[in-house]
Amino acid sequence: MQRKPRVAVIGAGIGGVAAAGALRKLGMEVAVYERAPDLGEVGAGLQIGPNGVKVLRALGLEDTLQGLAFEPTAIVSVNWDSASLRYREPLKAMARQQFAAPYITAHRADLHRLLRETVPDQVMVLEARCTGVASFENHAVASFADGTQVEADLIVGADGIRSIVRESLFGAAPARFTEQTGWRAILPIELVPTRVGPDKSVQIERSEYVGWIGPNGHVICYPIRGGELYNMFVGRVSPEWAEESWTAPSTRADMLAAFAGWNDALLEMLSKVEHVFKWGIYDRDPLSHWTSGRVTLLGDAAHPMMPTLAQGASITLEDAYALARNVVRHSDDPRRALRAYEAERIDRARRVQLQARDQFNNNRKVPAPPPLSRDWIFEHDATAEPMALAG
Ligand SMILES: Cc1cc2nc3c(=O)[nH]c(=O)nc-3n(C[C@H](O)[C@H](O)[C@H](O)COP(=O)(O)OP(=O)(O)OC[C@H]3O[C@@H](n4cnc5c(N)ncnc54)[C@H](O)[C@@H]3O)c2cc1C
């Protein structure tokens, strides 16, 4: 192939826009197709480990992200009822020193906006719901709900946890409901209590990442947006079915009913939230392939994982960088580029997916064992081999 490959990315979430931005930075021709009519302020907080921040650094976005996000000073774990301290460990200083990059917490919308600014509006096609893909000898085709088709040299399925591209390539992947429901909510930081426990003897700083750990649930809290907002993931084990969705609304009453008997200060804080979203957590086995011919997968489409390691966004950012690097390196042979991308990424992503499952199972043990080490995940630098501009 003499000319540069044209890449069609399906899905303008975190992975789709990161991949499109990285590919464009390297001089590739990219178009992004997103089913949503707009890309507004959706979602709540997410975590970016040092491994994810290294990718943002290589894309030139780390400094701007610092202003939009937050770096929790410490990780604190307290008991669900008494708020007694289980442990407190430094995070901010430790991450920078041990992993050469910060551990960051951000509103998904802020990270998304930052990545989106690397992709011009003209290459973004909204209200384009992909219904299937096909790979041929010399091109690939994506079909859309309005009957249109798009031809490209390469197609990247970055269409999230319930990926149509994945289904089109490899069939429906069975998803098992884990009987855990997570509520997601955000509070202004000034509503967060700093003294908790029966005699208010336990001090929690608003700059800390706090886990309230109970026998059948946990509440994970951290500041986002420069410390203005406090994000809460409120997870409870319950056989009651819940939809796997980022946007399914719930109510404060529904969330509070699941936490009867938990610490008063925690419940008081939860009773102040205005908007609550409910998310059923599902588990899927790792895929044995991501690629078929000229089509591949990236992000949650490739490796849907449980949230217990908080690595979904970071591993996705690593994918985006590795994809761009391989597409440019093998720009004369798109199939080879996708094979090289998959070979570089699939074992690491599988290992993280499986550890997220192990951590999920550990969280259900009473008493919960200490968290599994994420050091090997944080140490990784997907950008150690730099990208080169296409010739
Ligand atoms: C609305 C929303 C809110 C979220 N909120 C949070 C949050 O608060 N905390 C958190 O940790 N994670 C959240 N996530 C998930 C998080 O962004 C991902 O787990 C992670 O960053 C991996 O990114 P991804 O690009 O693989 O998937 P996503 O970021 O989920 O992006 C997938 C994109 O593909 C689009 N899409 C799906 N199907 C099609 C189709 N058939 N045709 C075209 N486009 C399609 C989706 O609309 C979406 O924009 C959210 C995702 C979404 C979509």
Side-chain angles (χ1 to χ4, degrees):
M1 175 180 281
Q2 297 306 310
R3 57 178 174 77
K4 293 173 192 165
R6 285 165 306 152
V7 184
V9 177
I10 310 299
I14 298 296
V17 286
L23 284 161
R24 276 191 57 87
K25 196 175 159 101
L26 298 177
M28 292 287 143
E29 198 185 316
V30 188
V32 185
Y33 299 87
E34 164 61 44
R35 72 175 169 191
D38 58 62
L39 299 168
E41 178 97 354
V42 282
L46 50 70
Q47 302 175 44
I48 314 167
N51 53 315
V53 174
K54 286 172 203 167
V55 174
L56 296 168
R57 178 179 293 167
L59 297 177
L61 303 174
E62 183 186 5
D63 292 346
T64 321
L65 178 73
Q66 286 286 352
L68 295 172
F70 197 81
E71 245 187 289
T73 50
I75 295 193
V76 179
S77 181
V78 293
N79 282 308
W80 65 286
D81 49 357
S82 62
S84 55
L85 194 65
R86 296 174 74 231
Y87 60 84
R88 171 178 267 121
E89 286 171 0
L91 180 59
K92 182 170 175 171
M94 182 280 298
R96 284 182 174 265
Q97 194 187 340
Q98 195 176 341
F99 307 112
Y103 193 103
I104 282 181
T105 49
H107 195 302
R108 180 184 183 271
D110 294 338
L111 173 65
H112 192 256
R113 198 174 335 109
L114 183 68
L115 291 166
R116 247 213 88 176
E117 282 168 11
T118 65
V119 184
D121 285 349
Q122 317 71 286
V123 307
M124 211 52 101
V125 185
L126 299 177
E127 284 190 276
R129 187 164 67 80
C130 181
T131 52
V133 290
S135 177
F136 301 97
E137 183 57 28
N138 293 314
H139 67 286
V141 173
S143 304
F144 294 89
D146 63 0
T148 56
Q149 291 196 318
V150 165
E151 204 180 295
D153 297 304
L154 288 174
I155 295 178
V156 180
D159 53 342
I161 205 156
R162 289 157 64 172
S163 167
I164 287 295
V165 178
R166 181 178 69 219
E167 190 171 331
S168 184
L169 293 183
F170 304 116
R176 185 178 58 83
F177 180 47
T178 59
E179 301 197 336
Q180 184 167 128
T181 298
W183 286 267
R184 290 178 301 125
I186 292 178
L187 260 189
I189 197 98
E190 55 276 13
L191 298 180
V192 175
T194 52
R195 289 205 160 267
V196 295
D199 51 4
K200 305 267 181 265
S201 58
V202 181
Q203 173 128 20
I204 296 178
E205 303 298 336
R206 288 177 176 148
S207 61
E208 291 175 321
Y209 175 115
V210 181
W212 295 78
I213 308 300
N216 279 309
H218 58 277
V219 180
I220 303 294
C221 313
Y222 49 81
I224 53 175
R225 196 163 283 169
E228 277 173 38
L229 300 176
Y230 201 59
N231 181 77
M232 290 172 287
F233 170 88
V234 184
R236 192 83 171 110
V237 176
S238 150
E240 196 182 311
W241 181 83
E243 191 187 346
E244 187 182 39
S245 163
W246 294 111
T247 50
S250 179
T251 62
R252 200 166 46 193
D254 188 24
M255 175 175 73
L256 284 169
F259 282 80
W262 281 53
N263 181 269
D264 287 345
L266 173 67
L267 294 182
E268 197 187 325
M269 178 170 77
L270 293 178
S271 71
K272 291 179 182 157
V273 303
E274 279 188 31
H275 304 289
V276 186
F277 293 91
K278 189 173 178 175
W279 171 31
I281 297 175
Y282 286 70
D283 186 23
R284 293 176 179 80
D285 288 330
L287 294 176
S288 48
H289 296 287
W290 294 357
T291 304
S292 175
R294 290 168 175 267
V295 186
T296 196
L297 302 172
L298 177 150
D300 282 355
H303 42 70
M305 59 178 75
M306 290 196 272
T308 41
L309 300 179
Q311 272 290 315
S314 298
I315 295 294
T316 297
L317 290 168
E318 290 184 10
D319 291 347
Y321 191 95
L323 176 84
R325 177 167 16 73
N326 283 294
V327 168
V328 172
R329 175 174 300 156
H330 305 292
S331 59
D332 55 342
D333 185 349
R335 290 164 179 272
R336 186 167 170 212
L338 297 192
R339 284 198 304 273
Y341 155 70
E342 177 181 313
E344 179 177 333
R345 298 295 308 152
I346 196 167
D347 287 346
R348 173 167 168 82
R350 177 188 295 124
R351 206 176 147 201
V352 178
Q353 257 178 303
L354 292 176
Q355 184 169 319
R357 179 187 282 172
D358 289 345
Q359 183 63 63
F360 180 88
N361 292 334
N362 277 0
N363 289 351
R364 287 186 154 188
K365 292 179 186 157
V366 180
L372 297 168
S373 172
R374 295 182 292 173
D375 290 3
W376 68 273
I377 304 175
F378 297 162
E379 274 159 9
H380 187 71
D381 184 357
T383 71
E385 204 183 324
M387 305 197 278
L389 275 174

